[in-house]
Amino acid sequence: MRITLKKAVELLNHGLVVALPTETVYGLAASLHQPEAIEAIFKTKKRPSSNPLIIHVADSAQIRDLVEIIPTDFESLSQAFWPGPLTLILPAKQEKIPSIIRANLPTAAFRIPSHPLVREILSLTGPLVMPSANLSGRPSATHVEHIEADFGLDFPVLDGGVCTYGVESTILIHESEKWLLGRLGFISPEEFKPILGYVPKLFSSTQPKCPGQHFKHYSPHARLHLSSFALLKDQCCIIGFREGHYPKTNPLIILGSLDQPKEVAENLYAVLRQLDLEGIQEAWVDMDFPSNGLWNTIRERLTRAAEITQNNISQ
Ligand code: TXA
Ligand code: MG
């Protein structure tokens, strides 16, 4: 059910969960001060309780109020990237942040989003916890229709159009005086160099620093092949690029242009969801794209989406 901004604020203040647009992906929002609504988020998403939530706020003063210490470079990161697609993991004031949000960790995740509608809502509600608005394991939602597909037509959602960034925020974790990359996202690691003086390193996938990285993610029901096109079956769907040369006999879904990683990121989850809408069982993805910046996030999301579909098939 598409609702107005006023109604969204009213429902949030009454302890209900609503879906809201952000510049990255849609989020499922609940007030920091409404424990039942926070529990409802985990139930609605079918999200394991060991996967903590990001607290979204209107300004960094609200973060200062909720954390134990402000680490080095917090101020410069905040000025460079907020409002925007950056999430920082900081030592939490545990008495102020319910443990269900933190999955019992001593830290909490914070982000100041830039989408004008969610900013207006945050100024009226105070801090909101907000995971991506998708069933756990599914591709994130970048269109209102994606939320309706996962949670039904009656689920309250504020329509903010298409989320133009299309992939989630980049997560940084402060540890031993350095910032580490908890999750690749819209901001690429190199973009932190002018601010931090170094490119933050990614934790290896066997030792994920963000608990959410353990879980299955971003997956359509369709089986994705990232392998060579030599194995391409007749009539099987190809996910590719506008400039690509592909067999004419196979159906083609275009992610965007090889010159426009932002366009590809914006379309990524909608394309993965399109496979399911069209009842496509298998698709080959053209992985022949650059290995820099936002392309690395796109590669990581596609790899995660494909790994899981393969696991599902073998189960
Ligand atoms: O762009 C985004 O970040 C979107 C929009 C809605 O803001 N939100 C989002 O939330 O992607 P979610 O819940 O889908 O992903 C949050 C990630 C999870 O991998 C979770 O494990 C990690 O943040 N996280 C949250 N709190 C953490 C903490 N205290 N320590 C380490 N990782 C944490
Ligand atoms: Mg998510």
Side-chain angles (χ1 to χ4, degrees):
M1 185 201 337
R2 311 205 181 174
I3 56 172
T4 60
L5 188 145
K6 192 167 161 237
K7 184 76 182 169
V9 171
E10 196 183 304
L11 294 177
L12 288 164
N13 287 339
H14 279 87
L16 291 163
V17 175
V18 301
L20 301 179
T22 84
E23 70 280 17
T24 57
V25 297
Y26 274 84
L28 272 195
S31 164
L32 179 69
H33 307 297
Q34 299 278 359
E36 283 175 17
I38 297 170
E39 268 175 47
I41 283 189
F42 283 91
K43 280 208 189 92
T44 308
K45 269 184 70 80
K46 300 195 170 70
R47 181 174 175 112
S49 59
S50 54
N51 192 4
L53 307 177
I54 301 175
I55 301 170
H56 294 66
V57 294
D59 57 59
S60 62
Q62 289 177 327
I63 298 178
R64 289 176 183 275
D65 188 42
L66 295 169
V67 300
E68 283 292 348
I69 48 161
I70 293 289
T72 336
D73 295 321
F74 171 87
E75 204 49 58
S76 32
L77 284 170
S78 139
Q79 294 210 351
F81 297 105
W82 278 339
L86 173 67
T87 295
L88 296 181
I89 311 280
L90 302 168
K93 265 192 192 141
Q94 300 192 26
E95 69 285 5
K96 289 203 171 179
I97 305 175
S99 61
I100 181 178
I101 294 174
R102 299 178 276 108
N104 281 323
L105 293 167
T107 52
F110 297 92
R111 172 159 119 77
I112 305 179
S114 64
H115 193 292
L117 292 180
V118 79
R119 284 184 68 67
E120 191 173 345
I121 290 186
L122 284 167
S123 73
L124 298 168
T125 58
L128 297 174
V129 295
M130 201 157 43
S132 53
N134 52 279
L135 286 170
S136 245
R138 298 275 296 145
S140 301
T142 50
H143 295 60
V144 171
E145 289 78 8
H146 301 165
I147 292 155
E148 293 170 345
D150 279 12
F151 304 117
L153 289 174
D154 288 340
F155 196 85
V157 52
L158 176 63
D159 186 353
V162 179
C163 302
T164 51
Y165 290 13
V167 293
E168 298 79 355
S169 60
T170 303
I171 300 183
L172 290 185
I173 304 177
H174 195 257
E175 209 177 79
S176 311
E177 296 305 307
K178 283 252 166 176
W179 291 94
L180 298 163
L181 209 51
R183 174 176 75 184
L184 284 170
F186 188 80
I187 303 169
S188 45
E190 301 79 34
E191 291 179 68
F192 294 108
K193 189 154 186 206
I195 314 296
L196 299 176
Y198 58 93
V199 178
K201 288 207 182 82
L202 182 62
F203 261 72
S204 79
S205 58
T206 50
Q207 265 190 316
K209 257 292 158 189
C210 286
Q213 305 297 301
H214 288 294
F215 301 111
K216 71 176 221 163
H217 248 101
Y218 318 119
S219 304
H221 298 302
R223 183 172 189 187
L224 295 182
H225 298 269
L226 309 182
S227 54
S228 147
F229 271 54
L231 300 172
L232 180 67
K233 292 182 197 156
D234 283 350
Q235 305 304 324
C236 221
C237 177
I238 297 173
I239 297 178
F241 300 94
R242 207 165 286 128
E243 302 84 348
H245 298 286
Y246 308 109
K248 296 264 180 303
T249 45
N250 294 72
L252 176 64
I253 302 180
I254 295 284
L255 277 168
S257 163
L258 283 166
D259 291 332
Q260 308 268 356
K262 287 187 177 169
E263 179 195 19
V264 174
E266 180 178 340
N267 292 336
L268 181 64
Y269 294 134
V271 163
L272 294 181
R273 283 173 173 270
Q274 188 183 339
L275 297 174
D276 293 342
L277 274 181
E278 294 185 12
I280 293 168
Q281 310 276 318
E282 274 185 282
W284 260 256
V285 187
D286 181 358
M287 296 297 279
D288 193 9
F289 53 78
S291 294
N292 57 32
L294 188 52
W295 287 112
N296 285 337
T297 301
I298 293 164
R299 185 181 307 278
E300 190 258 356
R301 298 302 196 261
L302 284 167
T303 306
R304 298 284 304 274
E307 268 166 17
I308 297 311
T309 43
Q310 279 157 22
N311 288 347
N312 283 350
I313 281 184
S314 61
Q315 270 167 20

